[in-house]
Amino acid sequence: MAVSSPKVVVVVPTYNEQDNLPVLAGLLANLPAPNLHLLVIDDNSPDGTGEVADRLAAEAPDTVGVLHRTAKDGLGRAYLAGMARALDEGADVVVQMDADLSHPASAIPAMVDTLLTKKAAVVLGSRYVAGGSTATEWPWHRKALSTWANLYVNGILRLGVKDSTAGFKAWRAETLRAIDLPSIHSNGYSFQVEMNYRTIKRGLAILEVPIRFEERVKGASKMSLRVQLESALTPWKLRFGRRDRRCL
């Protein structure tokens, strides 16, 4: 009897990504990865990204789905909504990635293979392990900020992860259930840190594989001052705040 491939759902939050989304969908569709699905989480994009997502779903209803949300209330909330939908629909592996083409879709097969063949709860696409890199177009101050952010997070939480702020990840479904998604507090980019922290606190393993992180070609960054402030405060809240028994 043939063994079916694990169901892999790539969860992609979008806000004003009408140009990038079709390109990403095409890259995913061409991957040598059986049973791969795309789930778009659109936060009512004014540029029509939601309509683009609906068209992609109509063209490939067996592999593309769309979750429309009525308001833009943060990256973390969008990811949590998408992950919950993916788990409800039977995902064995949930991949999270950005829609701006900064994460290389070509790395997904290696990430999923590492997740399934090694004792990993989650696999990160990492800029800062051997073989990883960032775009040459990145100005020095962005590279310095990214490096400092990882040193800052690891200095406070001691995660033992070189790219603790990475947003390109492949999760086992059972890991997401174990870390209790409905109780995640962070919302912006600090969501990535809280997810890693909860994984480590459960005694689960995080592995990293190298990727090249590219600069977005079209569209604008969603990094606001509010998001930056939350990212700076979250590690302290996680370390010294009231302990969540569900994470320990």
Side-chain angles (χ1 to χ4, degrees):
M1 180 180 295
V3 178
S4 60
S5 300
K7 182 176 182 179
V8 179
V9 179
V10 182
V11 174
V12 179
T14 58
Y15 187 78
N16 289 348
E17 299 285 1
Q18 65 168 349
D19 294 324
N20 292 324
L21 182 58
V23 177
L24 177 59
L27 292 171
L28 294 174
N30 290 327
L31 287 178
N35 211 4
L36 184 75
H37 302 256
L38 168 62
L39 176 59
V40 179
I41 316 301
D42 187 65
D43 281 1
N44 199 25
S45 299
D47 75 340
T49 301
E51 288 79 3
V52 172
D54 285 337
R55 186 175 70 248
L56 292 170
E59 294 170 354
D62 294 334
T63 57
V64 179
V66 185
L67 175 58
H68 292 282
R69 303 199 317 147
T70 58
K72 184 177 185 294
D73 63 351
L75 181 69
R77 298 303 102 186
Y79 266 129
L80 290 172
M83 289 172 171
R85 171 68 70 84
L87 293 176
D88 287 345
E89 294 180 350
D92 299 298
V93 175
V94 177
V95 176
Q96 59 172 96
M97 69 184 303
D98 292 344
D100 61 9
L101 307 180
S102 59
H103 297 150
S106 59
I108 289 177
M111 292 170 66
V112 172
D113 181 68
T114 300
L115 183 74
L116 297 177
T117 59
K118 298 186 178 180
K119 293 182 179 180
V122 56
V123 173
L124 312 186
S126 177
R127 298 163 287 185
Y128 301 124
V129 293
S133 62
T134 57
T136 54
E137 297 89 348
W138 262 30
W140 70 267
H141 60 85
R142 284 191 64 187
K143 292 182 180 180
L145 178 61
S146 177
T147 300
W148 177 85
N150 276 284
L151 291 172
Y152 177 82
V153 167
N154 278 302
I156 298 168
L157 298 178
R158 291 175 168 76
L159 298 177
V161 177
K162 292 186 180 297
D163 200 349
S164 58
T165 61
F168 189 23
K169 303 176 181 178
W171 295 89
R172 289 183 184 269
E174 54 265 36
T175 304
L176 295 177
R177 295 188 180 97
I179 62 178
D180 190 25
L181 294 180
S183 69
I184 295 286
H185 304 299
S186 304
N187 194 12
Y189 289 87
S190 59
F191 163 80
Q192 313 294 359
V193 174
E194 182 170 358
M195 295 281 281
N196 291 339
Y197 178 76
R198 287 182 174 227
T199 301
I200 293 296
K201 294 300 285 185
R202 294 284 301 187
L204 303 173
I206 298 176
L207 296 183
E208 298 177 80
V209 298
I211 65 163
R212 177 174 174 78
F213 183 88
E214 297 291 353
E215 179 65 283
R216 72 158 49 242
V217 176
K218 297 181 179 180
S221 171
K222 315 302 191 299
M223 177 70 81
S224 65
L225 178 60
R226 179 179 178 182
V227 167
Q228 293 179 57
L229 289 173
E230 183 194 23
S231 298
L233 291 174
T234 292
W236 295 106
K237 291 180 178 179
L238 292 173
R239 181 165 183 184
F240 297 112
R242 181 176 61 84
R243 293 195 174 194
D244 187 342
R245 294 181 181 273
R246 290 166 292 189
C247 298
L248 303 179

